Amino acid sequence: MGVQFNHPWLLLLLIPLAAVMFYAYRSDFHLSGARKKGAVILRSAVLLLLVLAISGLQSYTVLQQKQVVYLVDRSASMPESGQAEAWMVKSAASKKEDDTIGVVSSSLQAAYEQKLLPRLPESLKLNAAQNPDFTNLESGLMLAGNLLDGRSDSRIVLISDGKENVGSMLAAGRMLKDQGIAVDVLQSPSRQVKDVSVEEVSVPQKLYQAEAFSIEVLVQSTYKGRGELRLYEDSREIGRETVDIAAGENRYAVKALAKTTGLHRYRAEIFMEGDQQSANNAGYAFTRVDGPPKVLIVEGKKGTSANITSALSSGLVQYEVMPSPALLPNEMAKYAAYDSIIFNNVSADQVGERKMEMIEQAVKSYGIGFMMAGGEDSYGMGGYFKTPIERALPVSMELEGKRQIPSLGLILVIDRSGSMSGDKMEMAKEAAIRTVQMLRSRDTVGVLAFDSSNWWVVPPMKLDNKKEEVIDQIQSIQSEGGTDIYPAAASAVEEMLKVQAQRKHIILMTDGQSAGNDAYGSLLAQMVDEKITMSTVAVGSDSDVNLLQSLADGAKGRFYMAEDETTIPAIFSREAAMISKSYIVDKPFVPTLQDAGDWGKLFENGVPQIYGYVATTAKPAAQTVLSSPEPDPLLVRWQYGSGRTVAWTSDLMGKWSKDWVSWPAFSNVLTQMVKWTFPQFTASPYEVKTQVEGNKVRFEVNAAGGDGPEQLQAVITGDQLQPSTVDLVQESPGSYSGEITVEQPGSFLMSLQDSHGKSLAMPSGLIVPYSQEYRIESGDAKQELGRLAEMTGGRVLSWDKPEQLFAADPRPSRQLHELSYALLIAALILWVADIAVRRLALPWGLIGARLAALLRRRPQHPAGGAEPADAGLG
């Protein structure tokens, strides 16, 4: 225990203050005797306390304690778990009783495993969630430093292979050194595996159609052998060859031909016997092939696009026909290979929510065009209500107030058994909600959830103004129990018999096998007699497909097989539209020219007759070119984000448009409609350079001739469909830079936009390779760890001597105790006493004499401890 002063030179104030108090004692004639002495003593004490307070008087105790925080690298390059934990437990066994221990783990981000405690658990396990694809030792060191209070002998023990790829441990070390925290290092050997990797794939940034080029691949290996190199353009394999691979670097060049225009992604994969790590077996590169624009035609039914393809061919527009929507790519980057996409009578349940989101994002952020051609499986009849495609189209599927629609009674029978948990249940609820949103106030809706028993979530009721109430009830459905279909179907029919509506329909959805084996014959017969129809939805291959198919056939409904649960909302929406039968208008008419704009010349000589279309509603900002007498939009266009979309609500197969497809001007009209959707970009090119550092991507953008907008943004979209907008900083005229953080490798699309969201250049590709964590390293990280220990005054520890961590005596440290507040409080109390002595007219002499007498009178006890005989008497 001791004391110290922060500002000891202020103690010199005591000299003049002593002189002042002596002068005050000699010159104060208002007081006399003991009162005068007491006042001077009190005031002197007050001044003494104030001087001690401003001098920074502190007491301290000397600590002989260690605070140790273990920092464990948990990235993918580290050996299997258990080795570090065992060493920590052994080293902690030699600690002293007062020492405390904490544990932090780190990969991309650091996390606490244990805060400072007297001991480690006997069975230590590191459980904090981590992303092992990166090593960020800087983050771990800073978090470990936050655990230490800096008062005791504080140190961090870093257990790592030292192969950091995010941040800088030496930068963190400099900060820890300033805080007096030492860092001991225990180098862990990297996980030794036989490994072959694709380090780099190179292709020219720009090609012309039919141009020959080379794909250069750099392969790194830790061992010698024969492997197979495979090359892909987008998802199509374009080459495969057997190669001899030596330990170290291997370079290969493969000839290729730029056959189709657009943005293409090339992938190189290496396969070799004995390879123990597959995370680094693929590399990617992007290139753009210039040439005529290319259109993707997606068919709802195979072989129905002959009219479209012949029109595009006559207009010299390249195209690719996709015979099934199931073939649409699942990767965002692949949509950039096309300038426009046409849906030819495609229903939403054939596409799925995820692919619709990709197409919408391709239009909105990257300027790719989109056109929907009608038919019985399109627009509202195709289940596009509230879908991403509806957001991109210039028309909506809502027909509120447009025509008299028969009243509808609809009951949704939803399986809520345990197997429906997770995404299935969420999609089922979303489907029910969208269906309710489509219905009108005079429609009747009921929702029955079932497992082994039934639960009326919403008893059949007219909607009126109760949509929100019904939706809230649907949200409450939880999955549990078994599956029994018949009681649920029978209950739905029983309630439907009570419903007053012009059309009555049931939608039954399940993903399992029914526990019961009841006879459905009489139930189906009753439904047919009462004109109640039922459609069924089988979710996944485990459902009772045969039963559901027979129920739909027997009840004059439709059967749907939903392998992808994201199609369930589209199926329900489609069913609600088909039952009302008000979306299809099948009567002949001659379209009316409404707001043709620059398309006016296409129709200046009149237009042929149309025999039918799917009713929609034009959005307020859309341009309706042609309309029907209803009036409903027939041909509508608009700008959606960076892209353009067109809606043609009749078909292009000839059923409703037979006069149009035989019209001499048809090829030119359709070609101009499609060309209008092509990306619209200024001629000013931008050069984009990217550099990947750890989990950060840095952009450098340069406009030709220094001619660029004041504000520029980069929009990055990956397969997760969550676009990130990066504001680029203008460093000089036409030169911009920016940075984005990514946590997952992959291929991304990048678009440059101005501050108004207008695209300024064709979308380009961005590759974030697999993490450097999986790269084959030839250097030695031991030197960097040694520099960290030397910088902070730490040690290089040994795996076979865990006891050396706590072997040295702790550095003595002072634990300070602040006394300023106590001194000020004491000065305040004495100051009040001083005022009382000076201002209050009390018999101070008598008080002082009695206090002195009390101090002098101390009871004296005999040696035996007994009190005197007259104790307590006057």
Side-chain angles (χ1 to χ4, degrees):
M1 184 75 176
V3 295
Q4 68 177 34
F5 294 91
N6 290 335
H7 313 292
W9 55 272
L10 290 175
L11 294 174
L12 295 174
L13 291 173
L14 293 174
I15 298 174
L17 289 177
V20 169
M21 293 311 302
F22 179 75
Y23 173 77
Y25 178 75
R26 297 296 299 271
S27 62
D28 196 344
F29 302 104
H30 299 289
L31 301 176
S32 61
R35 187 178 180 188
K36 182 176 181 178
K37 293 179 181 179
V40 171
I41 292 171
L42 288 172
R43 185 159 297 183
S44 299
V46 170
L47 293 174
L48 174 62
L49 292 172
L50 290 175
V51 171
L52 293 175
I54 64 175
S55 300
L57 176 64
Q58 294 176 313
S59 65
Y60 64 83
T61 54
V62 178
L63 297 177
Q64 300 286 338
Q65 180 192 32
K66 287 185 179 181
Q67 289 183 338
V68 174
V69 176
Y70 296 98
L71 170 57
V72 184
D73 181 354
R74 290 179 57 195
S75 60
S77 62
M78 290 288 287
E80 298 297 329
S81 60
Q83 182 180 8
E85 291 92 322
W87 189 91
M88 287 189 288
V89 171
K90 289 179 181 179
S91 64
S94 59
K95 63 177 281 298
K96 293 183 173 60
E97 183 178 354
D98 293 336
D99 297 339
T100 55
I101 301 171
V103 182
V104 170
S105 64
S106 180
S107 54
L108 177 59
Q109 297 293 338
Y112 291 121
E113 299 280 357
Q114 173 182 300
K115 296 191 176 182
L116 288 173
L117 293 173
R119 62 184 60 83
L120 289 175
E122 293 182 3
S123 56
L124 175 63
K125 290 187 178 180
L126 305 179
N127 298 317
Q130 293 288 351
N131 179 355
D133 291 341
F134 299 94
T135 301
N136 187 352
L137 298 179
E138 179 182 0
S139 171
L141 288 169
M142 298 310 298
L143 187 64
N146 290 340
L147 273 180
L148 301 170
D149 56 22
R151 296 181 300 180
S152 304
D153 182 358
S154 301
R155 64 182 54 244
I156 298 170
V157 180
L158 172 59
I159 305 175
S160 172
D161 58 6
K163 295 181 179 179
E164 61 178 345
N165 43 61
V166 178
S168 170
M169 61 179 170
L170 295 180
R174 284 189 285 271
M175 298 182 67
L176 294 172
K177 177 185 177 182
D178 294 339
Q179 300 173 32
I181 299 174
V183 180
D184 295 338
V185 297
L186 178 64
Q187 186 183 22
S188 176
S190 296
R191 187 159 54 96
Q192 298 299 316
V193 295
K194 295 176 68 176
D195 192 15
V196 60
S197 68
V198 175
E199 292 290 304
E200 184 180 317
V201 181
S202 299
V203 295
Q205 290 187 352
K206 185 178 180 180
L207 295 167
Y208 292 95
Q209 192 174 17
E211 180 180 355
F213 67 100
S214 294
I215 304 173
E216 298 180 358
V217 184
L218 172 60
V219 174
Q220 186 93 354
S221 180
T222 61
Y223 66 108
K224 181 180 179 181
R226 291 177 66 83
E228 185 176 67
L229 180 64
R230 300 177 188 174
L231 294 172
Y232 299 84
E233 181 184 69
D234 300 323
S235 57
R236 180 175 61 89
E237 184 176 321
I238 59 173
R240 175 186 301 214
E241 61 181 72
T242 301
V243 293
D244 291 319
I245 301 176
E249 288 190 357
N250 302 265
R251 293 183 180 273
Y252 307 95
V254 180
K255 297 292 184 181
L257 184 67
K259 295 182 178 180
T260 57
T261 60
L263 186 67
H264 295 286
R265 185 186 69 168
Y266 290 88
R267 180 172 87 252
E269 293 182 353
I270 190 69
F271 298 91
M272 194 160 93
E273 187 71 28
D275 183 18
Q276 295 177 295
Q277 183 167 264
S278 61
N280 55 7
N281 284 15
Y284 301 86
F286 273 106
T287 190
R288 177 169 289 282
V289 179
D290 286 342
K294 185 177 180 181
V295 176
L296 174 65
I297 303 170
V298 184
E299 296 182 321
K301 294 180 181 178
K302 185 177 180 180
T304 56
S305 299
N307 296 324
I308 301 175
T309 56
S310 61
L312 295 181
S313 296
S314 67
L316 302 178
V317 176
Q318 291 192 359
Y319 61 84
E320 175 186 332
V321 177
M322 189 169 285
S324 169
L327 300 177
L328 281 166
N330 286 308
E331 298 176 22
M332 185 71 194
K334 293 182 180 179
Y335 289 94
Y338 307 101
D339 294 271
S340 188
I341 301 170
I342 300 175
F343 271 20
N344 182 21
N345 195 29
V346 175
S347 64
D349 60 282
Q350 293 177 289
V351 182
E353 198 83 4
R354 177 176 171 79
K355 293 176 182 177
M356 285 192 280
E357 287 177 357
M358 287 186 174
I359 293 172
E360 186 234 0
Q361 195 62 240
V363 174
K364 184 178 181 181
S365 298
Y366 302 101
I368 296 168
F370 181 77
M371 176 178 174
M372 179 175 282
E376 293 179 341
D377 294 331
S378 65
Y379 297 102
M381 295 297 292
Y384 285 99
F385 180 73
K386 295 287 186 182
T387 62
I389 292 294
E390 185 192 39
R391 291 198 298 267
L393 285 171
V395 295
S396 66
M397 313 304 136
E398 180 59 58
L399 303 180
E400 186 68 42
K402 293 182 66 72
R403 54 179 52 77
Q404 186 66 28
I405 297 177
S407 61
L408 176 63
L410 181 65
I411 293 179
L412 309 178
V413 183
I414 299 174
D415 181 356
R416 68 156 190 166
S417 60
S419 59
M420 284 288 294
S421 61
D423 290 342
K424 289 181 183 179
M425 194 72 256
E426 292 306 312
M427 286 295 103
K429 291 193 285 188
E430 176 64 23
I433 290 170
R434 285 193 198 176
T435 304
V436 170
Q437 290 173 333
M438 286 186 67
L439 300 178
R440 305 196 176 203
S441 57
R442 64 195 188 101
D443 292 333
T444 300
V445 67
V447 181
L448 174 65
F450 73 94
D451 43 44
S452 51
S453 57
N454 304 330
W455 167 42
W456 279 101
V457 182
V458 179
M461 57 185 290
K462 277 196 175 182
L463 276 177
D464 294 327
N465 297 317
K466 301 175 183 177
K467 279 190 179 182
E468 292 302 320
E469 177 184 336
V470 171
I471 290 171
D472 288 342
Q473 293 298 320
I474 292 171
Q475 293 281 22
S476 68
I477 301 175
Q478 301 295 326
S479 57
E480 59 178 287
T483 305
D484 197 355
I485 296 175
Y486 182 82
S491 181
V493 172
E494 181 182 353
E495 291 298 318
M496 186 64 86
L497 293 173
K498 306 173 186 177
V499 172
Q500 300 297 318
Q502 291 169 288
R503 291 178 181 159
K504 301 180 180 182
H505 188 60
I506 298 170
I507 304 176
L508 168 66
M509 186 199 73
T510 180
D511 75 333
Q513 303 280 334
S514 180
N517 211 5
D518 302 86
Y520 290 89
S522 58
L523 183 64
L524 293 173
Q526 185 181 24
M527 294 174 70
V528 172
D529 292 342
E530 298 294 336
K531 297 183 179 180
I532 300 172
T533 56
M534 180 169 69
S535 293
T536 57
V537 182
V539 184
S541 57
D542 292 336
S543 52
D544 196 336
V545 175
N546 292 331
L547 172 62
L548 296 176
Q549 177 77 67
S550 64
L551 290 177
D553 293 342
K556 301 186 182 300
R558 286 154 296 280
F559 168 74
Y560 297 89
M561 185 68 200
E563 293 285 358
D564 178 3
E565 60 263 18
T566 65
T567 63
I568 297 173
I571 292 172
F572 276 50
S573 299
R574 186 181 182 191
E575 277 295 296
M578 293 181 74
I579 290 303
S580 66
K581 294 183 180 179
S582 56
Y583 280 84
I584 295 179
V585 180
D586 54 356
K587 56 184 179 182
F589 67 94
V590 176
T592 302
L593 194 63
Q594 188 167 328
D595 181 14
D598 57 344
W599 282 359
K601 293 181 180 180
L602 299 176
F603 310 114
E604 60 185 358
N605 296 321
V607 293
Q609 188 171 234
I610 288 289
Y611 294 89
Y613 63 93
V614 182
T616 59
T617 301
K619 293 178 180 176
Q623 178 185 356
T624 302
V625 179
L626 297 173
S627 62
S628 74
E630 292 295 335
D632 288 321
L634 179 68
L635 177 60
V636 195
R637 66 181 185 178
W638 79 339
Q639 183 86 28
Y640 182 68
S642 298
R644 293 175 168 185
T645 66
V646 171
W648 170 258
T649 60
S650 186
D651 73 330
L652 290 177
M653 297 176 290
K655 178 179 179 180
W656 297 332
S657 58
K658 58 183 179 180
D659 291 355
W660 273 70
V661 297
S662 59
W663 180 33
F666 171 72
S667 293
N668 181 50
V669 170
L670 180 61
T671 301
Q672 293 304 316
M673 288 163 54
V674 174
K675 285 183 176 180
W676 183 85
T677 67
F678 288 167
Q680 307 294 308
F681 300 109
T682 61
S684 178
Y686 287 83
E687 181 185 8
V688 181
K689 295 181 180 179
T690 59
Q691 183 177 0
V692 180
E693 299 175 356
N695 67 329
K696 296 183 183 296
V697 179
R698 179 173 175 80
F699 305 95
E700 292 183 3
V701 181
N702 293 288
D707 183 20
E710 184 176 342
Q711 293 182 332
L712 190 64
Q713 296 177 330
V715 178
I716 315 297
T717 307
D719 296 337
Q720 302 304 315
L721 299 179
Q722 296 178 346
S724 299
T725 301
V726 183
D727 291 320
L728 303 179
V729 178
Q730 186 170 197
E731 298 178 341
S732 62
S735 179
Y736 309 84
S737 67
E739 190 177 79
I740 187 174
T741 300
V742 292
E743 295 191 2
Q744 295 293 335
S747 56
F748 301 81
L749 281 183
M750 181 175 68
S751 173
L752 295 178
Q753 299 180 351
D754 60 18
S755 57
H756 303 291
K758 179 183 178 181
S759 290
L760 302 176
M762 294 291 288
S764 57
L766 168 65
I767 294 296
V768 177
Y770 55 80
S771 169
Q772 293 180 1
E773 196 71 27
Y774 302 104
R775 290 193 177 276
I776 298 174
E777 301 287 349
S778 56
D780 185 6
K782 184 177 181 180
Q783 184 178 357
E784 291 296 298
L785 291 174
R787 288 180 60 191
L788 176 65
E790 182 181 359
M791 174 193 300
T792 60
R795 302 163 293 176
V796 177
L797 302 176
S798 172
W799 282 95
D800 56 359
K801 295 180 180 179
E803 68 280 356
Q804 71 180 133
L805 174 59
F806 288 94
D809 293 331
R811 296 194 309 264
S813 60
R814 292 182 176 184
Q815 183 174 1
L816 299 176
H817 308 286
E818 185 64 48
L819 299 179
S820 298
Y821 291 114
L823 292 173
L824 291 174
I825 292 172
L828 178 62
I829 294 172
L830 293 179
W831 178 60
V832 173
D834 174 55
I835 294 174
V837 169
R838 290 175 176 276
R839 300 298 181 187
L840 297 180
L842 297 175
W844 294 107
L846 180 59
I847 294 173
R850 290 194 174 183
L851 287 174
L854 286 173
L855 292 174
R856 287 194 299 270
R857 288 180 60 190
R858 289 186 176 181
Q860 300 294 324
H861 298 283
E867 292 186 0
D870 61 347
L873 300 177

